[in-house]
Amino acid sequence: MLTAAIFDVDGVLLASPHERAWREALVGIAEPDRFTTAMYQAHVAGKLRLDGARSALEALGVRNAGRLAAIYAGRKQARLEELIRAGSVAAFPDALRFVQAVAAIGWPLAAASSSRNATDMMRSITLPTGQSLLDIFRVNVSGRDLKRGKPDPELFLIAAAELGVSPKQCLVAEDAPAGIEAARAGGMSALGVARLGDAKQLLAARADLVITSLDDVVIADLALGRLVGRTS
């Protein structure tokens, strides 16, 4: 029976400039136009920063990818911070409705992003109640130092432990295949949010349910501990 929810941040709750920052930071290293959304989802999303940088460079066929990964990761972080200061972060309206609805049925919530920037981005979003988006979460484990990034379940298991619930009672909302794999590896239910037309990839990663909008999750069933999507 599900009793708690864990949310990835970028791509699930927020339309953040992460992908844009990764692409723009490639200037002088590789052709930015080759860094597509599909590449971001497959090789970078959900991973620790250095791992994502190395994975992207290898996928692009860049020579000395291992040596250049730290440089690329540093340039991406600097560009991301510029974009955040410029206000290039927005919340998905369906996500705001969903987290408030889930909180209203009494579930404890956790935010769990690999990104060290997730906390500041959530703090910048104001809810109708006057709270920030960050305030709605009982636990925030975003940006923690980890031994292993997704698809390893370490981050989600930390979130479950700090919520004080069993992993099998947790629903994880993710938009990346690596995040879905991490949830399943941790013994949790996985909700795939396919905002980018990537439902097949999320299903292939063994998501329990894939939706294109969080409005399609039936809150009345969640209140009974079941993950059910609308059929119409």
Side-chain angles (χ1 to χ4, degrees):
M1 182 175 177
L2 298 172
T3 62
I6 301 172
F7 290 85
D8 179 44
V9 178
D10 183 34
V12 174
L13 300 176
L14 303 179
S16 82
H18 270 88
E19 180 184 337
R20 176 181 171 184
W22 280 113
R23 181 177 295 110
E24 294 179 356
L26 274 173
V27 174
I29 298 175
E31 295 177 21
D33 289 348
R34 294 179 57 208
F35 188 90
T36 64
T37 295
M39 178 174 287
Y40 173 73
Q41 287 295 97
H43 298 285
V44 179
K47 295 184 178 180
L48 300 179
R49 187 185 305 154
L50 187 58
D51 292 342
R54 183 183 300 109
S55 179
L57 294 179
E58 289 173 349
L60 288 166
V62 174
R63 295 179 61 185
N64 300 317
R67 179 178 62 82
L68 291 172
I71 296 172
Y72 178 36
R75 291 177 59 177
K76 171 265 174 182
Q77 179 60 20
R79 182 58 181 141
L80 179 63
E81 290 174 2
E82 291 174 354
L83 292 169
I84 291 172
R85 287 194 296 270
S88 300
V89 179
F92 292 109
D94 62 307
L96 296 185
R97 289 189 292 269
F98 186 69
V99 294
Q100 291 175 95
V102 176
I105 63 175
W107 281 24
L109 308 180
S113 170
S114 301
S115 173
R116 296 182 184 276
N117 306 287
T119 296
D120 285 341
M121 289 193 294
M122 288 188 288
R123 189 179 286 121
S124 73
I125 303 298
T126 302
L127 301 177
T129 60
Q131 296 175 293
S132 75
L133 177 58
L134 181 64
D135 292 333
I136 205 167
F137 294 99
R138 179 181 299 180
V139 166
N140 175 29
V141 297
S142 299
R144 295 287 181 92
D145 289 324
L146 302 174
K147 296 179 180 177
R148 299 166 297 276
K150 301 170 189 176
D152 188 276
E154 182 181 7
L155 184 65
F156 293 150
L157 292 174
I158 292 171
E162 295 192 11
L163 284 173
V165 298
S166 167
K168 66 183 180 181
Q169 294 174 280
C170 292
L171 169 66
V172 175
E174 260 284 359
D175 72 312
I180 296 294
E181 292 170 7
R184 294 304 304 267
M188 304 174 184
S189 294
L191 171 63
V193 185
R195 299 193 187 278
L196 301 172
D198 53 352
K200 289 184 179 179
Q201 292 90 325
L202 296 174
L203 287 169
R206 299 175 57 235
D208 293 284
L209 174 67
V210 174
I211 42 84
T212 57
S213 167
L214 287 164
D215 289 332
D216 291 334
V217 179
V218 182
I219 299 298
D221 282 285
L222 275 189
L224 298 174
R226 304 189 300 247
L227 177 60
V228 177
R230 299 186 191 281
T231 57
S232 62

